[in-house]
Amino acid sequence: MASENKTRPTSTSVQEFIDTVTNETRRSDSMVLLELYKKITGHPPILWGNSLIGFGSYHYKYDSGREGDMLLAGFSPRKQNIALYNTGHVRYPELLAKLGKYKTGKSCLYITRLSNVDMTVLTQLIESGYNHMKSKYNS
C-alpha cells in the first residue's frame, strides 16, 4: 500500500498562520508574497500541512502507483529563509543571474528577505514556474 502524502490542504487560516511567524521581516515579506501569488495565480491561498502557503493544486501519479495532490505554486516562511516552491528556477539560469541573493534546492528557491532580490525577476520566476506547472498538469 502506497503511503499517503502528509502535506495536504487544511482549513487553517493563512492569515492566522502568517501572524504566528515570529521574524518581523519574514512576516511582512510573507504578506507581500501572499498578494503577489494571488495576483499571479488567481487562486486563493490555502495552508498545506502546517507551513506551506499554496495557490492552486494538481494531481500526480507516479509509475510506482503513488499518487496525490500538491500545490501548483507557493511558499513557506521558515526560520532561516523563505522557501518558494515550483518556481522552475532550474530552467531559467538567465533570470537567476539577475535575481540577487538566493540559494537553491532541488525544487525550492530560498531567499532570506525580499530586499535581497529583484522583485521584477522574482515575479517572472514565479509566473514562469506557475505557468509551467499549470500546463504540465493541465490544471
Side-chain angles (χ1 to χ4, degrees):
M1 184 174 151
S3 63
E4 273 192 34
N5 189 349
K6 292 179 182 75
T7 306
R8 289 185 258 178
T10 70
S11 59
T12 304
S13 159
V14 169
Q15 186 61 59
E16 285 178 21
F17 165 68
I18 291 174
D19 290 344
T20 68
V21 174
T22 54
N23 180 301
E24 192 176 318
T25 301
R26 199 103 52 245
R27 190 170 55 248
S28 63
D29 284 354
S30 293
M31 292 306 298
V32 170
L33 287 171
L34 189 68
E35 293 307 313
L36 181 62
Y37 273 93
K38 286 194 300 193
K39 182 179 173 189
I40 290 170
T41 69
H43 292 286
I46 293 175
L47 192 68
W48 288 67
N50 60 7
S51 65
L52 286 169
I53 300 169
F55 300 83
S57 65
Y58 67 95
H59 188 77
Y60 63 85
K61 185 171 185 175
Y62 297 135
D63 291 340
S64 66
R66 180 184 168 114
E67 63 183 290
D69 297 301
M70 192 42 117
L71 51 99
L72 275 171
F75 68 95
S76 179
R78 297 177 173 178
K79 280 192 168 116
Q80 297 297 321
N81 52 44
I82 297 174
L84 293 96
Y85 297 87
N86 300 334
T87 59
H89 59 274
V90 294
R91 289 187 304 279
Y92 305 104
E94 71 285 356
L95 287 176
L96 282 179
K98 297 186 279 184
L99 181 60
K101 194 173 176 186
Y102 68 89
K103 291 182 181 177
T104 60
K106 187 175 180 182
S107 63
C108 292
L109 180 66
Y110 301 102
I111 56 175
T112 306
R113 56 181 55 206
L114 293 180
S115 60
N116 288 343
V117 297
D118 182 312
M119 286 303 292
T120 301
V121 175
L122 183 62
T123 300
Q124 290 173 314
L125 281 166
I126 293 168
E127 283 177 341
S128 299
Y130 171 72
N131 289 331
H132 172 78
M133 292 299 290
K134 204 167 78 165
S135 65
K136 181 176 179 178
Y137 291 98
N138 297 318
S139 296

